[in-house]
Amino acid sequence: MPRSTEEFEEFAIARTPQLYRAAWLMCGDAHRAEDLVQETLAKVYVRWHRRLGGPIEHPVAYAHTTLTRTFISAQRRRSNHETPTETLPETVEQGGDAATSLALRDALAQLAPLDRAVLVLRYLEDVSVADTADALGVSPGAVRNRTLRALERLRAVLGPSLRDLLEI
């Protein structure tokens, strides 16, 4: 039997901060991250109430998989790369080292979307190789290869400060 709407609301409230963090790290933009989380929760909601196939066994993993696949799918769209900005709004720093955050965001932005997703899941969300492979629909060997290549690219961009950045 499908789960109730109240259970989904509790799940969404509890998981939104983690989904938003992962989304922001993947796309590097607060507004796109909010849209990505909203689209992810809408997809999870549809699956949450589906009678066929039974309830979602692992809703947290399902939500992260949906988030990652939605991000990668959005990156493939041509319109995704449009960023019209004439002036940037003033923002207030929420704490932490701004230079470190900006350096990490800029370095992640230089990676391919799948490489970025692999690093975010593996190092910033602390997801295992097997779970990352399941979330991205690739083999565990592909996750390890992409991780190595992506870290090499980050080392080229960030130099010796890479280790400090990954210990956020």
Side-chain angles (χ1 to χ4, degrees):
M1 175 172 214
R3 294 183 173 126
S4 70
T5 301
E6 292 80 22
E7 289 176 313
F8 175 78
E9 288 175 4
E10 290 174 12
F11 169 79
I13 290 168
R15 297 308 301 174
T16 295
Q18 292 83 9
L19 291 171
Y20 176 78
R21 179 177 182 258
W24 187 86
L25 288 168
M26 285 183 201
C27 65
D29 178 72
H31 298 291
R32 285 183 54 210
E34 289 172 358
D35 291 344
L36 186 58
V37 170
Q38 183 177 6
E39 188 174 349
T40 297
L41 289 174
K43 290 178 180 181
V44 172
Y45 180 80
V46 169
R47 176 65 175 84
W48 193 274
H49 294 290
R50 200 182 285 172
R51 292 188 187 278
L52 296 174
I56 302 170
E57 288 187 38
H58 305 287
V60 174
Y62 184 83
H64 275 281
T65 299
T66 303
L67 175 80
T68 304
R69 290 181 179 171
T70 303
F71 165 72
I72 292 170
S73 177
Q75 288 299 107
R76 292 184 182 131
R77 289 187 213 125
R78 184 175 300 199
S79 64
N80 182 58
H81 302 291
E82 298 175 3
T83 54
T85 57
E86 188 170 318
T87 59
L88 296 175
E90 292 184 26
T91 58
V92 177
E93 180 61 33
Q94 298 294 332
D97 183 12
T100 302
S101 296
L102 289 173
L104 180 58
R105 188 179 84 198
D106 291 342
L108 286 172
Q110 295 179 24
L111 298 176
L114 191 56
D115 291 343
R116 191 176 326 148
V118 166
L119 289 183
V120 167
L121 290 172
R122 290 285 297 124
Y123 293 102
L124 299 172
E125 292 296 318
D126 198 27
V127 177
S128 70
V129 171
D131 290 342
T132 300
D134 286 342
L136 298 176
V138 298
S139 71
V143 169
R144 286 188 288 272
N145 286 336
R146 283 198 171 274
T147 300
L148 287 174
R149 285 191 216 129
L151 287 174
E152 286 176 7
R153 288 186 196 111
L154 282 180
R155 283 186 189 103
V157 172
L158 296 173
S161 63
L162 175 64
R163 177 168 286 125
D164 297 333
L165 290 173
L166 292 177
E167 295 175 1
I168 294 175

